[in-house]
Amino acid sequence: MTKMQPKLLINGEFKNRGQADAIPVINPCNGETLWEQPACGPDDVAEALAHARAAQASWSKVHGWERGRILRAVASEMRARTDAIASALSMEIGRPISQAAGEVGAAIEQFEWFAGEAERLFGDVIASRQGGRLLTEHEPVGICAAFTAWNFPVNLPVRKIAPALAAGNVILVRPSEQVPMTSTLIAEACVAGGVPAGVVQLLLGRAADVSAPIMAANEVRKISLTGSTRVGQMLMAEAAKTVKRCSMELGGHSAVVVCADSDVEAAAAQCALFKFRNAGQVCIAPNRFYVEESVSERFLARMQADAEALVLGDSQDRATTMGPLTLASGRDKVERLIADAIGHGARLVTGGKRPEGRNSGYFLEPTVLGDVPDHAAIMSEEPFGPVAPVASFSDLDEAIERANSTPYGLAAYAFTSSQSKADTLSRGLHAGMVGINTFMVAHAEAPFGGVDHSGMGREGGREAIRDYQNTKLTHMMAV
């Protein structure tokens, strides 16, 4: 179908074969095999770790200005590969090709932002009460490892690679088995941009063969995961054995509160756009909609119209505005949650089934549910798919309490024209990120991350690079 071929990257060398058996990658639009990826075995991981140790010793000594120059060169190489990366992404996860390039642009911004941060890694000088100076310096934490999900296969690894390199660390990247080609193109951009051998290494393969030996290695001092809360709990337990530092961007179940004083149609339009983006497979997607009673039917009508206007189809067709779910298991889960909600009294407004005429691939109609009770499973379990459950409220404090009713705390949103209500919602919604009259909470220059079962640590902004550094204090007294 294509000449694209995923590769491993170990010590600056791209390899077509690993120690383990190759893994097929399935096109979610038709169920056919796109390509087979080489897979690492324990010996490949051991080799990569040896090269990482050597590279860490040299890369940590490279001045921040030089690291910044290299990161900007990588950004340039990413820009030159935009079309190829977008094409691979679209095929591997089923996102419409017309929407794929935007993620590459966001990843480029990460490299550019952290290039600047590499140039601003300053410590502090504090006057000592004993007459000397207290010097604080920020040093690289050491070898890092990144484990990333498939739903944003460009931005997720880059959010980890860029700050790690900016801070003077080397990094081992183990992406999802679903997106090896997208990951290979990112690795190619790193090499072409001048990243030295061993500083970024791409280890494709099965979790048992790759993640397990990485987690067991004492020399890996920092891990970063974007994935489910369940996987995060497993990795944190393993990290405790060697006291690795952890950053975790885990599951979410974002609530939206829509007040009657908002522009209801405009709010519903934004909700539909962001709910069905990437077929709902977004960690910060709006997942639970609490709409004030007096405007709930207006909200539902606009959500229905926008959902029904979406064009389902092959990801390579530029007329397509929503592709399939990436995994068959993902579609099965969404179908289960829809059936459960209807069984508990929810109203099916639109969608709810597999589209007619599409007998292959993992397609599901964009779905809107009304009158969803709080005890339906979908109000407590993240669907990670194209279904919008809508419930109504009469009291704002009640809406905030219901929005905060899950153990997750990644993102939350609200729509209101009242500054007083906006302040109340900003303070009251329990999440790492809150959007008021907007869903735009992900920026290279701002912290991204959650609380509670949604994780710890931040990606983006000034906060992110600190997770990749140790702080050293020296008390300097005159001789």
Side-chain angles (χ1 to χ4, degrees):
M1 177 182 292
T2 174
K3 293 182 180 179
M4 288 186 174
Q5 173 57 52
K7 300 180 180 69
L8 310 175
L9 174 61
I10 298 177
N11 196 34
E13 179 184 352
F14 287 98
K15 300 183 177 183
N16 292 319
R17 181 175 297 180
Q19 180 187 8
D21 293 337
I23 304 170
V25 179
I26 304 302
N27 185 337
C29 293
N30 55 29
E32 298 176 358
T33 299
L34 282 167
W35 35 66
E36 291 197 343
Q37 61 183 297
C40 289
D43 290 349
D44 297 311
V45 177
E47 180 186 355
L49 282 168
H51 293 305
R53 286 194 295 271
Q56 181 63 48
S58 56
W59 180 247
S60 64
K61 295 180 176 64
V62 174
H63 195 281
W65 279 77
E66 175 62 11
R67 296 200 298 265
R69 185 195 67 77
I70 291 174
L71 287 172
R72 289 191 177 91
V74 174
S76 179
E77 293 293 339
M78 289 280 290
R79 190 171 288 110
R81 290 165 172 76
T82 294
D83 289 346
I85 297 172
S87 179
L89 179 161
S90 179
M91 286 188 279
E92 288 184 325
I93 72 169
R95 186 184 305 163
I97 187 66
S98 60
Q99 302 168 15
E103 185 182 340
V104 185
I108 290 168
E109 290 179 351
Q110 294 284 333
F111 278 120
E112 292 175 336
W113 168 264
F114 284 106
E117 288 296 279
E119 298 164 352
R120 295 188 290 268
L121 296 179
F122 306 133
D124 292 304
V125 179
I126 305 166
S128 165
R129 287 175 291 170
Q130 289 76 35
R133 292 176 297 162
L134 301 172
L135 308 179
T136 63
E137 299 174 281
H138 301 292
E139 299 179 339
V141 71
I143 299 173
C144 301
F147 307 102
T148 59
W150 46 261
N151 58 321
F152 281 86
V154 186
N155 216 18
L156 297 184
V158 168
R159 278 181 181 167
K160 305 173 193 310
I161 294 169
L165 268 57
N169 305 292
V170 306
I171 190 165
L172 307 169
V173 182
R174 191 263 167 183
S176 163
E177 296 165 28
Q178 184 64 31
V179 290
M181 192 63 239
T182 306
S183 306
T184 298
L185 292 167
I186 297 169
E188 289 180 355
C190 289
V191 172
V195 175
V199 173
V200 173
Q201 299 186 84
L202 177 63
L203 305 180
L204 305 175
R206 300 166 181 85
D209 293 333
V210 180
S211 301
I214 288 176
M215 294 304 298
N218 188 66
E219 61 262 54
V220 176
R221 300 313 310 144
K222 151 86 178 175
I223 64 167
S224 181
L225 166 73
T226 301
S228 70
T229 298
R230 180 185 63 83
V231 173
Q233 291 168 330
M234 293 167 57
L235 288 184
M236 282 189 281
E238 290 300 310
K241 296 176 181 178
T242 49
V243 198
K244 291 175 174 38
R245 186 180 302 186
C246 299
S247 293
M248 298 279 159
E249 198 260 281
L250 307 178
H253 200 14
S254 302
V256 185
V257 177
V258 180
C259 299
D261 60 17
S262 66
D263 184 335
V264 175
E265 280 71 26
Q270 281 200 60
C271 287
L273 178 64
F274 279 84
K275 171 68 261 185
F276 300 120
R277 180 175 63 130
N278 206 34
Q281 301 167 125
V282 183
C283 59
I284 57 172
N287 281 333
R288 297 172 290 136
F289 300 84
Y290 300 99
V291 184
E292 199 159 354
E293 286 176 345
S294 62
V295 297
S296 61
E297 289 304 317
R298 286 169 55 196
F299 180 88
L300 280 167
R302 179 58 190 264
M303 284 282 284
Q304 176 183 359
D306 285 7
E308 292 175 352
L310 290 167
V311 179
L312 273 66
D314 188 278
S315 65
Q316 300 303 289
D317 186 343
R318 290 198 170 271
T320 296
T321 54
M322 194 183 96
L325 281 86
T326 302
L327 305 175
S329 59
R331 182 175 63 177
D332 292 344
K333 176 183 180 181
V334 176
E335 289 177 323
R336 171 178 60 80
L337 291 172
I338 292 171
D340 174 84
I342 293 172
H344 282 90
R347 171 165 48 111
L348 179 62
V349 176
T350 190
K353 63 183 187 301
R354 302 180 185 187
E356 296 180 4
R358 292 206 168 271
N359 299 318
S360 60
Y362 312 131
F363 291 91
L364 185 68
E365 291 177 342
T367 301
V368 179
L369 300 170
D371 307 322
V372 182
D374 287 349
H375 58 273
I378 198 168
M379 302 305 271
S380 58
E381 184 178 345
E382 181 184 22
F384 218 62
V387 55
V390 181
S392 61
F393 73 89
S394 57
D395 177 79
L396 186 59
D397 288 339
E398 167 215 338
I400 293 173
E401 182 179 356
R402 290 162 71 189
N404 292 340
S405 64
T406 76
Y408 301 104
L410 187 54
Y413 310 96
F415 290 83
T416 178
S417 62
S418 163
Q419 187 60 52
S420 175
K421 288 182 180 178
D423 291 340
T424 297
L425 287 156
S426 173
R427 291 192 301 269
L429 291 170
H430 186 63
M433 299 169 287
V434 176
I436 305 294
N437 299 319
T438 182
F439 288 102
M440 301 299 291
V441 295
H443 309 272
E445 66 273 24
F448 183 101
V451 297
D452 297 343
H453 287 212
S454 289
M456 62 191 73
R458 291 296 181 266
E459 296 183 329
R462 293 179 176 178
E463 291 84 353
I465 202 164
R466 296 304 183 209
D467 281 343
Y468 291 88
Q469 294 179 304
N470 292 325
T471 299
K472 175 184 284 185
L473 170 70
T474 300
H475 192 174
M476 188 76 68
M477 294 290 288
V479 178

